[in-house]
Amino acid sequence: MDPDYLPFHPNPKKPDFVLPAGTVDAHCHVFGPAAKFPYAPQRKYTPCDAPKEKLFELRDYLGIARNVIVQGTCHGADNRALVDALGAANDMARGIASVRPDISDAELDALNAVGVRGVRFNFVKRLVDDTPKDVYIKIAERISRLGWHIVVYFEAPDLQELTAFLRQLPTTIVIDHMGRPDVSKGIDHPDFERFIRLMADNPNIWCKVSCPERLTVKGPGYEDVFPFSSRIVAQFTDRVLWGTDWPHPNMKSHVPDDGALVDVIPKIAPTAALQQALLVDNPMRLYWP
Ligand code: 0GY
């Protein structure tokens, strides 16, 4: 593990907010254990091991029913830790993989059989080397026959350049962490308006209202992020997902308490109907149709 890497919270609080039955954590990871599933040589960080057993323990402790496990960049396109976790989850987990365009149909079928339902395209420069867009287009073509979707991770200033590319993708698209707005700029800033317009204009685009702990500039409490997530939940109620982002790789400011992250939910989805859509109905439609 990197010397400045912050491991996940050892003993999160029990949330005050009781999650609705069947809640899906639609963004979390498994890392390692490195002795069994080594990290990728080209990785940009080396995390603390965060094995499937710990993820499933947290799921049960918080009152979550299902997980969507997203391949982390520290494992590159080696999806073995993800596949191992999906295989151990008794159909209660789905996966988002990272693949190369030359992956065989048989390998894609094997990923599908174990519960993978999408691939992730990552444009965050501190996490990955640049991948040409035509490579991503090729991958999109390769997965289309499986009915998978594409998860994209980028930061707000990059959206303008990425918009034409996103519009070109033929599948459902899920954007990580609200496209990472700079919350110090407020919800009226052109960057966030661009994001809202993107979702309004493209009914195939979904969004995760996750990661207040990454987006906040004020720190735990995360109130400065709520206007952004509340706006998206209210306007795009049937296209939003929520996730813990456990084990929170690359957090520098603080180690988030996963119970406190659950307690954010009623602040951004204040009614039972909004909570049911965000936590159960939307992810079930996408991952367990
Ligand atoms: C996240 C966020 C981060 C890392 C990754 O795959 C990853 O390495 O996604 C980050 O550093 O912002 O969603 O886990």
Side-chain angles (χ1 to χ4, degrees):
M1 149 175 138
D2 292 329
D4 64 342
Y5 188 92
L6 296 177
F8 53 88
H9 201 292
N11 54 347
K13 63 168 280 199
K14 269 277 184 203
D16 298 319
F17 175 63
V18 178
L19 289 165
T23 287
V24 179
D25 174 355
H27 188 95
C28 52
H29 309 283
V30 288
F31 295 155
K36 198 167 172 200
F37 303 113
Y39 298 113
Q42 75 277 17
R43 69 190 179 277
K44 304 293 187 201
Y45 65 93
T46 304
C48 167
D49 281 345
K52 62 179 185 290
E53 293 82 3
K54 287 280 178 199
L55 175 66
F56 297 153
E57 222 174 84
L58 182 75
R59 173 196 68 193
D60 297 344
Y61 176 78
L62 295 177
I64 290 166
R66 293 175 163 87
N67 297 106
V68 181
I69 306 173
V70 177
Q71 173 78 351
T73 55
C74 55
H75 276 300
D78 176 351
N79 295 291
R80 280 177 298 167
L82 169 67
V83 165
D84 173 69
L86 295 175
N90 292 321
D91 201 43
M92 298 305 262
R94 295 288 185 254
I96 298 296
S98 271
V99 304
R100 298 199 179 92
D102 61 355
I103 186 170
S104 71
D105 279 345
E107 287 171 302
L108 284 173
D109 289 341
L111 290 173
N112 191 56
V114 79
V116 170
R117 293 294 180 265
V119 290
R120 192 180 195 206
F121 296 169
N122 200 319
F123 298 95
V124 177
K125 293 171 188 71
R126 75 185 151 78
L127 291 173
V128 283
D129 294 326
D130 194 38
T131 299
K133 303 268 189 349
D134 55 328
V135 171
Y136 282 139
I137 296 289
K138 179 90 200 298
I139 295 171
E141 285 165 3
R142 298 293 320 286
I143 63 161
S144 65
R145 74 178 168 89
L146 295 161
W148 288 6
H149 62 271
I150 294 168
V151 172
V152 288
Y153 190 22
F154 59 82
E155 293 175 319
D158 297 323
L159 176 56
Q160 191 161 16
E161 189 272 320
L162 279 174
T163 299
F165 169 73
L166 296 176
R167 284 178 185 273
Q168 212 182 328
L169 296 174
T171 65
T172 294
I173 298 170
V174 179
I175 297 176
D176 280 339
H177 320 329
M178 301 187 281
R180 291 202 61 127
D182 177 347
V183 301
S184 69
K185 291 178 170 164
I187 58 168
D188 297 326
H189 188 274
D191 281 353
F192 191 61
E193 281 178 359
R194 182 176 294 112
F195 185 81
I196 293 290
R197 214 164 42 243
L198 178 80
M199 290 203 63
D201 291 348
N202 297 279
N204 64 320
I205 298 188
W206 295 42
C207 154
K208 292 176 195 162
V209 289
S210 41
C211 280
E213 76 282 10
R214 280 185 201 286
L215 300 175
T216 184
V217 290
K218 295 212 169 127
Y222 312 133
E223 286 87 356
D224 51 344
V225 186
F226 299 169
F228 295 80
S229 2
S230 307
R231 166 86 193 271
I232 292 174
V233 169
Q235 190 169 344
F236 305 108
T237 306
D238 58 352
R239 288 187 267 148
V240 286
L241 301 169
W242 171 86
T244 56
D245 195 29
W246 187 89
H248 314 287
N250 305 313
M251 283 296 296
K252 301 288 182 228
S253 56
H254 67 289
V255 175
D257 178 321
D258 298 280
L261 288 173
V262 169
D263 287 337
V264 164
I265 293 168
K267 311 279 176 51
I268 65 171
T271 68
L274 291 173
Q275 293 157 11
Q276 179 71 20
L278 174 66
L279 300 168
V280 186
D281 296 347
N282 297 344
M284 289 305 286
R285 214 162 67 246
L286 194 55
Y287 291 101
W288 283 267

Coordinates of all heavy atoms in Angstrom, one line a residue, residues 99-178:
V99 N -12.1 -3.9 -19.8 CA -11.7 -4.8 -20.8 C -10.9 -4.1 -21.9 O -11.0 -2.9 -22.1 CB -12.9 -5.6 -21.4 CG1 -13.7 -6.3 -20.4 CG2 -13.7 -4.7 -22.3
R100 N -10.1 -4.9 -22.6 CA -9.4 -4.4 -23.8 C -10.2 -4.7 -25.0 O -11.0 -5.7 -25.0 CB -8.0 -5.0 -23.9 CG -7.1 -4.7 -22.7 CD -5.7 -4.9 -22.9 NE -4.9 -4.5 -21.8 CZ -4.5 -5.4 -20.8 NH1 -4.8 -6.6 -20.9 NH2 -3.8 -4.9 -19.8
P101 N -10.0 -4.0 -26.1 CA -10.9 -4.2 -27.3 C -10.6 -5.6 -27.9 O -11.5 -6.1 -28.7 CB -10.4 -3.1 -28.3 CG -9.2 -2.6 -27.8 CD -9.1 -2.9 -26.3
D102 N -9.5 -6.2 -27.6 CA -9.2 -7.5 -28.3 C -9.7 -8.7 -27.4 O -9.4 -9.9 -27.7 CB -7.7 -7.7 -28.6 CG -6.8 -7.6 -27.3 OD1 -7.4 -7.3 -26.2 OD2 -5.6 -7.8 -27.5
I103 N -10.4 -8.4 -26.4 CA -11.0 -9.5 -25.5 C -11.8 -10.4 -26.4 O -12.5 -10.0 -27.3 CB -11.8 -8.9 -24.3 CG1 -12.2 -10.1 -23.4 CG2 -13.0 -8.1 -24.8 CD1 -12.8 -9.5 -22.1
S104 N -11.8 -11.7 -26.2 CA -12.5 -12.7 -27.0 C -14.0 -12.7 -26.6 O -14.4 -12.4 -25.5 CB -11.9 -14.1 -26.9 OG -12.2 -14.6 -25.6
D105 N -14.8 -13.2 -27.6 CA -16.2 -13.3 -27.2 C -16.4 -14.3 -26.1 O -17.3 -14.1 -25.3 CB -17.0 -13.8 -28.5 CG -17.3 -12.6 -29.4 OD1 -17.2 -11.5 -29.0 OD2 -17.6 -12.9 -30.6
A106 N -15.6 -15.4 -26.1 CA -15.7 -16.4 -25.0 C -15.4 -15.7 -23.7 O -16.1 -16.0 -22.7 CB -14.8 -17.5 -25.3
E107 N -14.4 -14.9 -23.6 CA -14.1 -14.2 -22.3 C -15.2 -13.3 -21.9 O -15.6 -13.2 -20.7 CB -12.8 -13.4 -22.5 CG -11.6 -14.3 -22.5 CD -10.3 -13.5 -22.9 OE1 -10.3 -12.9 -23.9 OE2 -9.4 -13.5 -22.1
L108 N -15.8 -12.6 -22.9 CA -16.9 -11.7 -22.6 C -18.1 -12.5 -22.0 O -18.8 -12.1 -21.1 CB -17.4 -10.9 -23.8 CG -16.5 -9.7 -24.2 CD1 -16.9 -9.1 -25.5 CD2 -16.5 -8.6 -23.1
D109 N -18.4 -13.6 -22.7 CA -19.5 -14.5 -22.3 C -19.3 -15.0 -20.8 O -20.2 -15.1 -20.0 CB -19.7 -15.7 -23.2 CG -20.2 -15.3 -24.6 OD1 -20.8 -14.2 -24.6 OD2 -20.0 -16.0 -25.5
A110 N -18.0 -15.3 -20.5 CA -17.7 -15.8 -19.2 C -17.9 -14.7 -18.1 O -18.5 -15.0 -17.0 CB -16.3 -16.3 -19.1
L111 N -17.6 -13.5 -18.5 CA -17.8 -12.4 -17.6 C -19.3 -12.2 -17.4 O -19.8 -11.9 -16.3 CB -17.2 -11.1 -18.1 CG -15.6 -11.0 -18.1 CD1 -15.1 -9.7 -18.8 CD2 -15.1 -11.0 -16.6
N112 N -20.0 -12.3 -18.5 CA -21.5 -12.1 -18.4 C -22.1 -13.2 -17.5 O -23.0 -12.9 -16.7 CB -22.1 -12.2 -19.8 CG -23.5 -11.7 -19.9 OD1 -23.9 -10.6 -19.5 ND2 -24.4 -12.6 -20.4
A113 N -21.6 -14.4 -17.7 CA -22.2 -15.5 -16.9 C -22.1 -15.3 -15.4 O -22.9 -15.7 -14.6 CB -21.6 -16.8 -17.4
V114 N -21.0 -14.7 -15.0 CA -20.7 -14.5 -13.6 C -21.4 -13.2 -13.0 O -21.4 -13.0 -11.8 CB -19.2 -14.6 -13.3 CG1 -18.5 -13.3 -13.6 CG2 -18.9 -15.0 -11.8
G115 N -22.0 -12.4 -13.9 CA -22.7 -11.2 -13.4 C -22.2 -9.9 -13.9 O -22.7 -8.9 -13.4
V116 N -21.2 -9.8 -14.7 CA -20.8 -8.5 -15.3 C -21.9 -8.0 -16.2 O -22.4 -8.7 -17.0 CB -19.4 -8.7 -16.0 CG1 -19.1 -7.4 -16.7 CG2 -18.3 -9.0 -15.0
R117 N -22.2 -6.7 -16.0 CA -23.2 -6.1 -16.8 C -22.8 -4.8 -17.5 O -23.6 -4.1 -18.1 CB -24.4 -5.8 -16.0 CG -25.1 -7.0 -15.4 CD -25.8 -7.9 -16.6 NE -26.4 -9.0 -16.1 CZ -25.9 -10.3 -16.0 NH1 -24.6 -10.4 -16.5 NH2 -26.5 -11.3 -15.5
G118 N -21.5 -4.6 -17.5 CA -21.0 -3.3 -18.1 C -19.5 -3.2 -18.1 O -18.8 -4.0 -17.4
V119 N -19.0 -2.2 -18.7 CA -17.6 -1.9 -18.7 C -17.4 -0.4 -18.2 O -18.3 0.4 -18.4 CB -16.9 -2.1 -20.1 CG1 -16.8 -3.5 -20.4 CG2 -17.6 -1.2 -21.1
R120 N -16.2 -0.1 -17.8 CA -16.0 1.3 -17.3 C -14.9 1.9 -18.2 O -13.9 1.3 -18.5 CB -15.5 1.2 -15.9 CG -15.4 2.6 -15.2 CD -14.9 2.4 -13.7 NE -15.2 3.5 -12.9 CZ -14.5 3.8 -11.8 NH1 -13.4 3.0 -11.5 NH2 -14.7 4.9 -11.1
F121 N -15.2 3.1 -18.6 CA -14.3 4.0 -19.3 C -13.8 5.1 -18.4 O -14.7 5.8 -17.9 CB -14.9 4.6 -20.6 CG -15.4 3.6 -21.6 CD1 -16.1 4.1 -22.7 CD2 -15.0 2.3 -21.6 CE1 -16.6 3.2 -23.7 CE2 -15.4 1.4 -22.6 CZ -16.2 1.9 -23.6
N122 N -12.5 5.2 -18.1 CA -12.1 6.1 -17.1 C -11.2 7.2 -17.8 O -10.3 7.0 -18.5 CB -11.2 5.3 -16.1 CG -11.1 6.1 -14.8 OD1 -10.9 7.3 -14.8 ND2 -11.1 5.3 -13.7
F123 N -11.7 8.5 -17.5 CA -11.0 9.6 -18.1 C -10.3 10.5 -17.1 O -9.9 11.6 -17.4 CB -12.0 10.5 -18.9 CG -12.6 9.7 -20.1 CD1 -13.9 9.1 -19.9 CD2 -12.0 9.6 -21.3 CE1 -14.5 8.4 -20.9 CE2 -12.6 8.9 -22.3 CZ -13.8 8.3 -22.2
V124 N -10.2 10.0 -15.9 CA -9.6 10.8 -14.8 C -8.0 10.6 -14.9 O -7.5 9.5 -14.7 CB -10.1 10.4 -13.4 CG1 -9.4 11.1 -12.3 CG2 -11.6 10.6 -13.4
K125 N -7.4 11.7 -15.2 CA -6.0 11.6 -15.6 C -5.0 11.1 -14.5 O -4.0 10.4 -14.8 CB -5.5 13.0 -16.1 CG -6.2 13.4 -17.4 CD -5.9 14.8 -17.8 CE -6.8 15.2 -19.0 NZ -8.2 15.4 -18.7
R126 N -5.4 11.3 -13.3 CA -4.5 10.8 -12.2 C -4.7 9.3 -12.0 O -3.9 8.7 -11.3 CB -4.7 11.6 -10.9 CG -6.0 11.2 -10.2 CD -6.3 12.0 -9.0 NE -7.7 12.1 -8.8 CZ -8.4 11.1 -8.2 NH1 -7.8 10.0 -7.8 NH2 -9.7 11.2 -8.1
L127 N -5.7 8.7 -12.7 CA -5.9 7.3 -12.4 C -5.5 6.4 -13.6 O -5.2 5.2 -13.4 CB -7.4 7.0 -12.2 CG -8.0 7.6 -10.9 CD1 -9.5 7.4 -10.9 CD2 -7.4 6.9 -9.7
V128 N -5.5 6.9 -14.8 CA -5.2 6.0 -16.0 C -4.4 6.8 -17.0 O -4.5 8.0 -17.1 CB -6.5 5.5 -16.6 CG1 -7.1 4.4 -15.9 CG2 -7.4 6.7 -16.9
D129 N -3.6 6.1 -17.8 CA -3.1 6.7 -19.0 C -4.2 6.9 -20.1 O -5.2 6.2 -20.0 CB -2.0 5.7 -19.6 CG -0.8 5.6 -18.7 OD1 -0.5 6.6 -18.0 OD2 -0.2 4.5 -18.6
D130 N -3.9 7.8 -20.9 CA -4.9 8.2 -21.9 C -5.2 7.0 -22.9 O -4.3 6.3 -23.3 CB -4.4 9.4 -22.7 CG -5.5 10.0 -23.6 OD1 -6.6 10.1 -23.1 OD2 -5.2 10.4 -24.7
T131 N -6.5 6.7 -23.1 CA -6.9 5.7 -24.1 C -7.6 6.4 -25.3 O -8.5 7.2 -25.0 CB -7.9 4.7 -23.4 OG1 -7.2 4.1 -22.3 CG2 -8.3 3.6 -24.4
P132 N -7.1 6.1 -26.5 CA -7.8 6.8 -27.6 C -9.3 6.4 -27.7 O -9.7 5.3 -27.4 CB -7.0 6.2 -28.8 CG -5.8 5.6 -28.3 CD -6.0 5.2 -26.9
K133 N -10.1 7.4 -28.1 CA -11.5 7.2 -28.2 C -11.9 6.0 -29.1 O -12.9 5.3 -28.8 CB -12.2 8.5 -28.7 CG -11.9 9.7 -27.9 CD -12.9 9.9 -26.8 CE -12.8 11.3 -26.1 NZ -11.7 12.1 -26.2
D134 N -11.2 5.8 -30.2 CA -11.6 4.7 -31.0 C -11.4 3.4 -30.4 O -12.1 2.4 -30.7 CB -10.9 4.8 -32.4 CG -9.4 4.8 -32.3 OD1 -8.9 5.4 -31.3 OD2 -8.7 4.3 -33.2
V135 N -10.5 3.3 -29.4 CA -10.4 2.0 -28.6 C -11.7 1.8 -27.8 O -12.3 0.7 -27.8 CB -9.2 2.1 -27.7 CG1 -9.2 0.9 -26.7 CG2 -7.9 2.1 -28.5
Y136 N -12.2 2.9 -27.2 CA -13.4 2.8 -26.4 C -14.6 2.5 -27.3 O -15.5 1.7 -27.0 CB -13.7 4.1 -25.7 CG -12.8 4.2 -24.4 CD1 -12.2 5.5 -24.1 CD2 -12.6 3.2 -23.6 CE1 -11.5 5.6 -22.9 CE2 -11.9 3.3 -22.4 CZ -11.3 4.5 -22.1 OH -10.6 4.7 -21.0
I137 N -14.6 3.1 -28.5 CA -15.7 2.8 -29.5 C -15.7 1.3 -29.8 O -16.8 0.7 -29.9 CB -15.6 3.7 -30.7 CG1 -15.7 5.2 -30.4 CG2 -16.6 3.3 -31.8 CD1 -17.1 5.6 -30.0
K138 N -14.5 0.8 -30.0 CA -14.4 -0.6 -30.4 C -15.0 -1.5 -29.2 O -15.7 -2.5 -29.5 CB -12.9 -0.9 -30.6 CG -12.6 -2.3 -31.0 CD -12.7 -2.5 -32.5 CE -12.8 -4.0 -32.9 NZ -11.8 -4.9 -32.5
I139 N -14.6 -1.1 -28.0 CA -15.1 -1.9 -26.9 C -16.6 -1.8 -26.8 O -17.3 -2.8 -26.6 CB -14.5 -1.4 -25.5 CG1 -13.0 -1.7 -25.6 CG2 -15.1 -2.1 -24.3 CD1 -12.2 -1.0 -24.4
A140 N -17.2 -0.6 -27.0 CA -18.6 -0.4 -27.0 C -19.3 -1.3 -28.0 O -20.3 -1.9 -27.8 CB -19.0 1.0 -27.3
E141 N -18.7 -1.5 -29.2 CA -19.2 -2.4 -30.2 C -19.2 -3.8 -29.8 O -20.1 -4.6 -30.0 CB -18.4 -2.2 -31.5 CG -18.7 -0.9 -32.3 CD -17.7 -0.6 -33.4 OE1 -16.8 -1.4 -33.6 OE2 -17.8 0.5 -34.0
R142 N -18.0 -4.2 -29.1 CA -17.9 -5.6 -28.7 C -18.9 -6.0 -27.6 O -19.3 -7.2 -27.6 CB -16.4 -5.8 -28.1 CG -15.3 -5.5 -29.1 CD -15.2 -6.5 -30.2 NE -15.5 -7.9 -29.8 CZ -14.7 -8.7 -29.1 NH1 -13.5 -8.2 -28.8 NH2 -15.1 -9.9 -28.7
I143 N -19.3 -5.1 -26.8 CA -20.2 -5.4 -25.7 C -21.7 -5.3 -26.1 O -22.6 -5.7 -25.3 CB -19.9 -4.6 -24.4 CG1 -20.2 -3.1 -24.6 CG2 -18.5 -4.9 -23.9 CD1 -20.4 -2.4 -23.4
S144 N -22.0 -4.7 -27.2 CA -23.4 -4.3 -27.5 C -24.3 -5.6 -27.5 O -25.4 -5.5 -27.1 CB -23.5 -3.5 -28.7 OG -23.1 -4.3 -29.8
R145 N -23.8 -6.7 -28.1 CA -24.6 -7.9 -28.2 C -25.0 -8.4 -26.9 O -26.0 -9.2 -26.8 CB -23.9 -8.9 -29.0 CG -22.8 -9.6 -28.3 CD -22.1 -10.7 -29.0 NE -20.9 -11.1 -28.3 CZ -20.9 -12.1 -27.4 NH1 -21.9 -12.8 -27.1 NH2 -19.7 -12.4 -26.7
L146 N -24.3 -8.1 -25.8 CA -24.6 -8.6 -24.5 C -25.7 -7.7 -23.7 O -26.1 -8.1 -22.7 CB -23.4 -8.7 -23.6 CG -22.4 -9.7 -24.1 CD1 -21.0 -9.5 -23.6 CD2 -22.8 -11.1 -23.8
G147 N -26.0 -6.5 -24.3 CA -26.9 -5.6 -23.6 C -26.3 -4.9 -22.4 O -27.0 -4.4 -21.6
W148 N -24.9 -4.9 -22.4 CA -24.3 -4.2 -21.3 C -24.4 -2.7 -21.4 O -24.7 -2.2 -22.5 CB -22.8 -4.6 -21.2 CG -22.5 -6.0 -20.8 CD1 -23.4 -7.0 -20.6 CD2 -21.2 -6.6 -20.6 NE1 -22.7 -8.2 -20.2 CE2 -21.4 -7.9 -20.2 CE3 -19.9 -6.1 -20.7 CZ2 -20.3 -8.8 -20.0 CZ3 -18.8 -6.9 -20.5 CH2 -19.0 -8.2 -20.1
H149 N -24.0 -2.0 -20.3 CA -23.9 -0.6 -20.4 C -22.5 -0.1 -20.1 O -21.6 -0.9 -19.8 CB -25.0 0.1 -19.5 CG -24.8 -0.2 -18.0 ND1 -25.3 -1.3 -17.4 CD2 -24.0 0.4 -17.1 CE1 -25.0 -1.3 -16.1 NE2 -24.2 -0.3 -15.9
I150 N -22.3 1.2 -20.2 CA -21.0 1.8 -20.0 C -21.0 2.7 -18.9 O -21.8 3.7 -18.8 CB -20.5 2.4 -21.3 CG1 -20.4 1.4 -22.4 CG2 -19.2 3.2 -21.1 CD1 -20.2 2.0 -23.8
V151 N -20.0 2.5 -17.9 CA -19.9 3.5 -16.8 C -18.7 4.4 -17.2 O -17.7 3.9 -17.6 CB -19.6 2.7 -15.5 CG1 -19.2 3.6 -14.4 CG2 -20.8 1.8 -15.1
V152 N -18.9 5.7 -17.0 CA -17.8 6.6 -17.3 C -17.5 7.5 -16.1 O -18.4 7.9 -15.4 CB -18.2 7.5 -18.5 CG1 -18.2 6.8 -19.8 CG2 -19.5 8.2 -18.3
Y153 N -16.2 7.7 -16.0 CA -15.7 8.5 -14.9 C -14.8 9.6 -15.4 O -13.9 9.4 -16.2 CB -14.9 7.6 -13.9 CG -14.5 8.3 -12.6 CD1 -15.2 9.3 -12.1 CD2 -13.4 7.8 -11.9 CE1 -14.8 9.9 -10.8 CE2 -13.0 8.3 -10.6 CZ -13.8 9.4 -10.1 OH -13.4 10.0 -8.9
F154 N -15.3 10.8 -15.2 CA -14.5 12.0 -15.7 C -14.7 13.1 -14.7 O -15.6 13.0 -13.8 CB -15.0 12.4 -17.1 CG -16.4 12.8 -17.2 CD1 -16.9 14.0 -16.8 CD2 -17.4 11.8 -17.6 CE1 -18.3 14.3 -16.9 CE2 -18.7 12.1 -17.7 CZ -19.2 13.4 -17.3
E155 N -14.0 14.2 -14.9 CA -14.1 15.4 -14.0 C -14.8 16.5 -14.8 O -14.6 16.6 -16.0 CB -12.7 15.8 -13.5 CG -12.2 14.7 -12.5 CD -10.8 14.9 -12.0 OE1 -10.0 15.3 -12.8 OE2 -10.6 14.6 -10.8
A156 N -15.5 17.4 -14.0 CA -16.4 18.4 -14.7 C -15.7 19.2 -15.8 O -16.3 19.3 -16.9 CB -16.9 19.3 -13.6
P157 N -14.5 19.6 -15.7 CA -13.9 20.4 -16.8 C -13.7 19.6 -18.1 O -13.6 20.2 -19.1 CB -12.5 20.9 -16.2 CG -12.6 20.7 -14.7 CD -13.6 19.6 -14.5
D158 N -13.8 18.3 -18.0 CA -13.6 17.5 -19.2 C -14.9 17.2 -20.0 O -14.8 16.6 -21.0 CB -12.9 16.2 -18.8 CG -11.5 16.4 -18.2 OD1 -10.8 17.3 -18.7 OD2 -11.2 15.7 -17.2
L159 N -16.0 17.6 -19.4 CA -17.3 17.2 -20.0 C -17.5 17.8 -21.4 O -17.9 17.2 -22.3 CB -18.4 17.5 -19.1 CG -19.8 17.3 -19.7 CD1 -20.0 15.8 -20.1 CD2 -20.9 17.6 -18.7
Q160 N -17.1 19.1 -21.5 CA -17.3 19.8 -22.8 C -16.6 19.0 -23.9 O -17.2 18.7 -25.0 CB -16.7 21.2 -22.7 CG -17.1 22.0 -23.9 CD -16.9 23.5 -23.6 OE1 -16.2 23.9 -22.7 NE2 -17.5 24.3 -24.4
E161 N -15.4 18.6 -23.7 CA -14.6 17.8 -24.7 C -15.2 16.4 -24.9 O -15.2 15.9 -26.0 CB -13.2 17.7 -24.3 CG -12.2 17.2 -25.3 CD -12.1 15.7 -25.3 OE1 -12.0 15.1 -24.2 OE2 -12.0 15.1 -26.4
L162 N -15.8 15.9 -23.9 CA -16.3 14.5 -24.0 C -17.7 14.3 -24.5 O -18.1 13.2 -24.8 CB -16.3 13.8 -22.5 CG -14.9 13.3 -22.0 CD1 -15.1 12.9 -20.6 CD2 -14.5 12.2 -22.9
T163 N -18.5 15.4 -24.5 CA -19.9 15.3 -24.8 C -20.2 14.6 -26.2 O -21.0 13.7 -26.2 CB -20.5 16.7 -24.8 OG1 -20.4 17.3 -23.5 CG2 -22.0 16.7 -25.1
A164 N -19.4 15.0 -27.2 CA -19.7 14.4 -28.5 C -19.5 12.9 -28.5 O -20.2 12.1 -29.0 CB -18.8 15.0 -29.6
F165 N -18.4 12.5 -27.8 CA -18.1 11.1 -27.6 C -19.2 10.3 -26.8 O -19.7 9.3 -27.2 CB -16.7 10.9 -26.9 CG -16.4 9.5 -26.4 CD1 -16.1 8.6 -27.3 CD2 -16.5 9.2 -25.1 CE1 -15.8 7.3 -26.9 CE2 -16.3 7.9 -24.7 CZ -15.9 6.9 -25.6
L166 N -19.7 10.9 -25.8 CA -20.7 10.3 -25.0 C -22.0 10.1 -25.8 O -22.7 9.1 -25.7 CB -21.0 11.1 -23.7 CG -19.9 11.2 -22.7 CD1 -20.3 12.1 -21.5 CD2 -19.5 9.8 -22.2
R167 N -22.3 11.1 -26.6 CA -23.5 11.0 -27.4 C -23.4 9.9 -28.5 O -24.4 9.4 -29.0 CB -23.7 12.4 -28.2 CG -24.3 13.5 -27.3 CD -24.4 14.7 -28.1 NE -24.9 15.9 -27.3 CZ -26.1 16.2 -27.1 NH1 -27.1 15.4 -27.5 NH2 -26.4 17.3 -26.4
Q168 N -22.2 9.6 -28.8 CA -21.9 8.6 -29.8 C -22.1 7.2 -29.3 O -22.3 6.2 -30.1 CB -20.4 8.7 -30.2 CG -20.1 8.4 -31.6 CD -18.6 8.6 -31.8 OE1 -17.9 9.4 -31.2 NE2 -18.0 7.8 -32.7
L169 N -22.0 7.0 -28.0 CA -22.1 5.6 -27.4 C -23.5 5.1 -27.5 O -24.5 5.8 -27.2 CB -21.7 5.6 -26.0 CG -20.2 6.0 -25.7 CD1 -19.9 6.1 -24.3 CD2 -19.2 5.0 -26.4
P170 N -23.7 3.9 -28.0 CA -25.0 3.4 -28.3 C -25.8 2.8 -27.1 O -27.0 2.4 -27.3 CB -24.7 2.3 -29.3 CG -23.4 1.8 -29.0 CD -22.6 2.9 -28.4
T171 N -25.1 2.7 -26.0 CA -25.7 1.9 -24.9 C -26.2 2.9 -23.8 O -26.0 4.1 -23.9 CB -24.7 1.0 -24.2 OG1 -23.7 1.9 -23.6 CG2 -24.0 0.1 -25.2
T172 N -26.8 2.4 -22.8 CA -27.0 3.1 -21.5 C -25.7 3.5 -21.0 O -24.7 2.8 -21.1 CB -27.8 2.3 -20.5 OG1 -29.1 2.0 -21.0 CG2 -27.9 3.0 -19.2
I173 N -25.6 4.8 -20.5 CA -24.3 5.3 -19.9 C -24.6 5.6 -18.4 O -25.7 6.2 -18.2 CB -23.9 6.5 -20.7 CG1 -23.6 6.2 -22.1 CG2 -22.7 7.1 -20.0 CD1 -23.3 7.4 -23.0
V174 N -23.7 5.3 -17.6 CA -23.9 5.7 -16.2 C -22.6 6.5 -15.8 O -21.5 6.0 -15.9 CB -23.9 4.4 -15.2 CG1 -24.0 4.9 -13.8 CG2 -25.1 3.5 -15.6
I175 N -22.9 7.7 -15.3 CA -21.8 8.6 -15.0 C -21.5 8.6 -13.5 O -22.4 8.7 -12.7 CB -22.1 10.1 -15.4 CG1 -22.3 10.1 -16.9 CG2 -21.1 11.0 -15.0 CD1 -22.7 11.5 -17.5
D176 N -20.2 8.3 -13.2 CA -19.8 8.2 -11.8 C -19.8 9.6 -11.1 O -19.3 10.6 -11.7 CB -18.4 7.6 -11.7 CG -18.4 6.1 -11.9 OD1 -19.4 5.5 -11.6 OD2 -17.3 5.6 -12.2
H177 N -20.3 9.6 -9.9 CA -20.1 10.7 -9.0 C -20.5 12.1 -9.6 O -19.8 13.1 -9.4 CB -18.7 10.7 -8.4 CG -18.1 9.4 -8.2 ND1 -18.9 8.3 -7.7 CD2 -16.8 8.9 -8.3 CE1 -18.1 7.2 -7.6 NE2 -16.9 7.5 -7.9
M178 N -21.6 12.1 -10.3 CA -22.2 13.3 -10.8 C -21.3 14.1 -11.7 O -21.4 15.3 -11.9 CB -22.7 14.2 -9.7 CG -23.7 13.6 -8.8 SD -24.4 14.8 -7.6 CE -23.0 14.8 -6.4

